[in-house]
Amino acid sequence: MTKLSSLENVVRVIFPSTMMREGELLPAAFKLRERDGKAETYVSVFRQYHDTFVSDITAFDKAQNLPCAIMNVGEIHASSLFVEANEVKYSVLAFPTATYASHAGIVIRIAGIPIEGNGTKAFTSLGIGECSAFHLIAIRRHLVEIAKKRITTVNGFL
């Protein structure tokens, strides 16, 4: 997959019932899930400056006018933190699909190992088992700090 330019913005669609509480963006907004027995490998976002962005996000939103977080790719790429001396890095890559050409993803790695789903493989391989849930929240919270700066709604792009 292609790494996105630092000049781009990406948009995370927020589902208020699970990703917000009392108007506050939660770390759950950046949770990698387990679906159909398969772990997600990136946090799904849309490329704001892509030709199909408006049609993709409105098709995805299905007229609910959901909240969205706008994040600069350069800010995401420049972000890092450390978990028990292991650097956590964030990359934003293009992941176009047949349905959404503007689809992309935020890939998270710890010590160069991709974090997938609940992070068990990555944390276990680094000997960080007991506190992995706490560390995952800190890793997601880092993205929340970037995302909460610019919240709008899908209708805000139309």
Side-chain angles (χ1 to χ4, degrees), residues 2-5 8-12 44-54 56-57 73 92-96 100-105:
T2 305
K3 189 172 181 178
L4 300 188
S5 163
E8 285 197 59
N9 286 339
V10 290
V11 175
R12 175 73 169 161
S44 291
V45 291
F46 291 96
R47 298 170 69 182
Q48 183 181 10
Y49 304 136
H50 193 277
D51 293 343
T52 65
F53 170 73
V54 171
D56 288 351
I57 200 164
V73 172
V92 186
L93 308 173
F95 286 102
Y100 306 115
S102 68
H103 188 253

Side-chain angles (χ1 to χ4, degrees), residues 111-133:
I113 302 167
I115 295 177
E116 301 175 350
N118 62 16
T120 302
K121 283 186 196 176
F123 287 113
T124 300
S125 69
L126 295 169
I128 308 171
E130 288 182 27
C131 300
S132 61

Side-chain angles (χ1 to χ4, degrees), residues 81-111:
L81 65 119
F82 287 85
V83 170
E84 296 188 17
N86 299 288
E87 188 174 25
V88 176
K89 292 294 288 179
Y90 305 84
S91 300
V92 186
L93 308 173
F95 286 102
T97 68
T99 307
Y100 306 115
S102 68
H103 188 253
I106 302 171
V107 176
I108 307 165
R109 291 183 172 82
I110 181 168

Side-chain angles (χ1 to χ4, degrees), residues 6 8 71-80 142 145-146 149:
S6 294
E8 285 197 59
M71 302 179 293
N72 176 262
V73 172
E75 190 174 358
I76 296 169
H77 286 168
S79 296
S80 68
H142 199 70
E145 292 304 313
I146 296 169
K149 295 174 188 174

Side-chain angles (χ1 to χ4, degrees), residues 19 25 30 34 36 38 57 69 73 76 92 97 137 140-141:
M19 298 177 179
L25 189 61
F30 298 98
E34 304 280 337
D36 303 322
K38 191 171 183 181
I57 200 164
V73 172
I76 296 169
V92 186
T97 68
I137 290 171
R140 292 183 207 125
R141 186 83 194 147

